[in-house]
Amino acid sequence: MTVSKTAEKSAEKAGDGTRGRKDAPEGLPEALQLGELSEQLGYVLKRAQLKVFENFLHCMASLQLTPAQFSVLLLVEKNPGRNQTEIASTLGILRPNFVALLDNLESRDLCARIRSTNDRRSHILVLTDKGKAVLTRAKKLVATKHESRLNELLGQANREALLEMLSKIANEF
Amino acid sequence: MTVSKTAEKSAEKAGDGTRGRKDAPEGLPEALQLGELSEQLGYVLKRAQLKVFENFLHCMASLQLTPAQFSVLLLVEKNPGRNQTEIASTLGILRPNFVALLDNLESRDLCARIRSTNDRRSHILVLTDKGKAVLTRAKKLVATKHESRLNELLGQANREALLEMLSKIANEF
DNA sequence: GATAATTGTTATGGACCATATCAAATATCG
DNA sequence: CGATATTTGATATGGTCCATAACAATTATC
C-alpha cells in the first residue's frame, strides 16, 4: 500500500467525527458531494433507467409483467408469425435466454409456440386471446400511469426530445 | 392453450417462407417492425444505457476500469475520509456487494482502507497515489474518447439538455 | 447423398443484486 | 457503571440476467 502521508492526514482530518460544514447547527450526517459524477452521462443514464424500470414494474404489478415480457408481447403482436430467433435477436436477447422467458409467457397462456409447417425446426410465435387482452390492458396501464407521469415531469415536448436523443444513442453510438 | 383459429391462420400466412414486402426483389430476411416499442421510454433508455456502458468499457480498456469502479474512484477523490457505508450507499451499492468491489481496487493499489481512529469499526477510504494517477488518466480518456463522441452525436446543447432530463428522472421520478 | 448450417434447447459459469447473519466496536439507556 | 441495542465491515447464499458451448432435429448446400 502506498498511501501518501498527506493523503492519510487529510483523510483523518476529514473523517474526524465532526465533519459538518462550517458553522453547521449540529453533527447531522452531511451528504456526500457527487462532483463530476453528476456530469457523467453513463452514471445518470443508469440511475434514470433503474428508476423508470422500477416505476414500470410498480405500474404493472396487477398484470405481473416485466419490461422484458412486455416488450416480447408488443413485438409478437406487431410481428405475428415470426420465430423465436427473430423475436429474440430483435430484442437483443440471446436465444438460450429467450427460452425461459417464453416458457413463462406460455405457461401463463399469454403466448403460444406453433410448429411451423414450412420449417419444422422453428416455432412460430403468436399471442393467445388472453395474451392480446392482457397486452391491451398493459398498454393502457403504461399510458395512463407510466408514460403520463413522465410527461408531467418533463413536458410533452421534452419527453419527445429525450426519446429522440436516446434513440440516436441506441442506434448510432 | 387457447389460440384462436384466426390467430393460427394469420400466423401461418405471415410465416410462410416468402414473407417479403409486396414485390420485394428477393426473399431477403425482412426486418421486424419495432412498432410501439420504439416509443417506450424504458426500452430506448435501456438500449441507450447498454450502448453507453459498452463504449465506456471500450474507452477504458487500457486502464481496465468498469463504470462502477470509475464511479467509486471519482466519489472517493471528491469525498476523502468517508467510510465504506457512506460511499457505497451514495452510489446505490449495498454494503455486502461493495466489499468485493473495494477488494479489487485495493488489490490493484488504487484505493486503500484505513482503520479510523475515531470509530474503529469503520474503514476510511482514500485514493492511493497510483489511484490518483490512474483516475487522472481515466478522466482524460472519458473526456476525449467517450463524452466527446456523445457531443459529436448530439451536439453540446442537446447533450446538456439530455443530462438535465435524465437527472430529473433519476432524482424526481 | 454427404456435409454444413440453422433452430430450439440444455447446461453452465460469470456478473450483478438482495437478504440474512456474524463478530467487533460503539451507542444508548437504565 | 453495565446490559442491551445499534452500527460497520464482512461472509454466505440465492436470485436474476447475460454469455458461451454443446446437442438433437431439421433443413440447406454442394
Side-chain angles (χ1 to χ4, degrees):
Chain A
M1 182 180 79
T2 61
V3 181
S4 69
K5 278 303 168 190
T6 63
E8 275 193 53
K9 232 177 56 179
S10 73
E12 281 304 319
K13 195 178 66 184
D16 63 356
T18 67
R19 56 165 171 269
R21 61 179 72 83
K22 265 196 285 194
D23 298 29
E26 218 24 65
L28 72 173
E30 192 177 2
L32 275 74
Q33 300 294 324
L34 279 188
E36 313 178 45
L37 212 47
S38 51
E39 298 296 319
Q40 292 291 327
L41 186 73
Y43 177 75
V44 183
L45 196 50
K46 176 84 177 185
R47 302 300 284 250
Q49 185 258 313
L50 290 175
K51 273 292 185 71
V52 168
F53 269 43
E54 182 187 2
N55 180 262
F56 183 95
L57 283 173
H58 179 256
C59 295
M60 290 303 211
S62 62
L63 295 179
Q64 284 289 94
L65 281 183
T66 68
Q69 293 166 342
F70 180 65
S71 69
V72 170
L73 296 183
L74 267 185
L75 199 60
V76 171
E77 182 198 43
K78 183 73 178 183
N79 301 272
R82 298 301 189 126
N83 62 27
Q84 297 184 198
T85 299
E86 292 172 309
I87 298 291
S89 76
T90 300
L91 292 173
I93 303 173
L94 293 170
R95 271 78 49 141
N97 301 327
F98 193 58
V99 174
L101 212 177
L102 254 194
D103 285 348
N104 182 346
L105 293 177
E106 199 174 28
S107 72
R108 293 159 65 183
D109 193 29
L110 302 178
C111 188
R113 299 182 232 226
I114 303 180
R115 298 216 86 94
S116 168
T117 54
N118 317 303
D119 185 342
R120 293 181 38 221
R121 291 171 297 185
S122 60
H123 292 168
I124 278 175
L125 299 184
V126 186
L127 294 192
T128 63
D129 291 340
K130 181 180 173 192
K132 291 176 187 172
V134 167
L135 181 56
T136 299
R137 287 209 287 154
K139 285 184 191 175
K140 281 195 187 110
L141 283 180
V142 168
T144 61
K145 291 194 191 301
H146 184 67
E147 302 274 359
S148 70
R149 209 176 134 204
L150 281 162
N151 275 333
E152 274 180 39
L153 184 64
L154 303 175
Q156 174 78 17
N158 281 334
R159 190 192 149 282
E160 288 174 9
L162 173 62
L163 200 67
E164 193 180 354
M165 285 191 275
L166 291 175
S167 298
K168 210 164 189 173
I169 294 176
N171 297 319
E172 302 172 30
F173 195 56
Chain B
M1 180 177 84
T2 61
V3 181
S4 69
K5 280 302 169 190
T6 62
E8 274 194 54
K9 231 176 60 180
S10 73
E12 283 302 321
K13 195 176 69 180
D16 63 357
T18 68
R19 54 165 173 270
R21 60 179 71 82
K22 265 196 286 193
D23 297 28
E26 214 30 62
L28 73 172
E30 193 176 1
L32 275 74
Q33 300 294 325
L34 280 187
E36 312 179 44
L37 211 48
S38 51
E39 298 296 320
Q40 292 291 325
L41 186 74
Y43 177 75
V44 182
L45 196 50
K46 175 84 178 186
R47 300 303 285 250
Q49 185 259 315
L50 290 175
K51 274 291 186 72
V52 169
F53 268 44
E54 183 187 3
N55 180 261
F56 183 96
L57 284 172
H58 180 256
C59 294
M60 289 303 210
S62 62
L63 295 179
Q64 284 289 95
L65 282 183
T66 67
Q69 293 166 341
F70 180 65
S71 70
V72 170
L73 295 183
L74 267 184
L75 199 60
V76 171
E77 183 198 43
K78 183 76 178 181
N79 302 272
R82 299 301 190 125
N83 63 26
Q84 297 183 198
T85 299
E86 293 172 308
I87 298 291
S89 76
T90 301
L91 292 173
I93 303 174
L94 295 170
R95 274 74 47 121
N97 301 325
F98 193 59
V99 174
L101 214 176
L102 254 193
D103 286 347
N104 183 345
L105 293 178
E106 198 173 28
S107 72
R108 293 160 65 183
D109 193 28
L110 303 177
C111 190
R113 298 182 233 227
I114 302 181
R115 298 216 86 94
S116 168
T117 54
N118 317 303
D119 185 342
R120 293 179 39 221
R121 289 171 298 185
S122 60
H123 292 168
I124 278 174
L125 299 184
V126 186
L127 293 192
T128 63
D129 292 340
K130 182 180 172 190
K132 292 175 187 172
V134 166
L135 181 55
T136 299
R137 288 209 286 155
K139 285 183 191 174
K140 282 196 185 109
L141 283 180
V142 168
T144 61
K145 291 193 192 302
H146 184 66
E147 302 274 359
S148 70
R149 210 179 134 202
L150 280 160
N151 275 332
E152 272 180 41
L153 184 64
L154 303 175
Q156 174 77 18
N158 281 335
R159 189 190 150 282
E160 288 174 10
L162 174 62
L163 200 66
E164 193 180 352
M165 284 190 276
L166 291 175
S167 298
K168 209 165 191 172
I169 294 176
N171 298 318
E172 303 171 31
F173 194 58

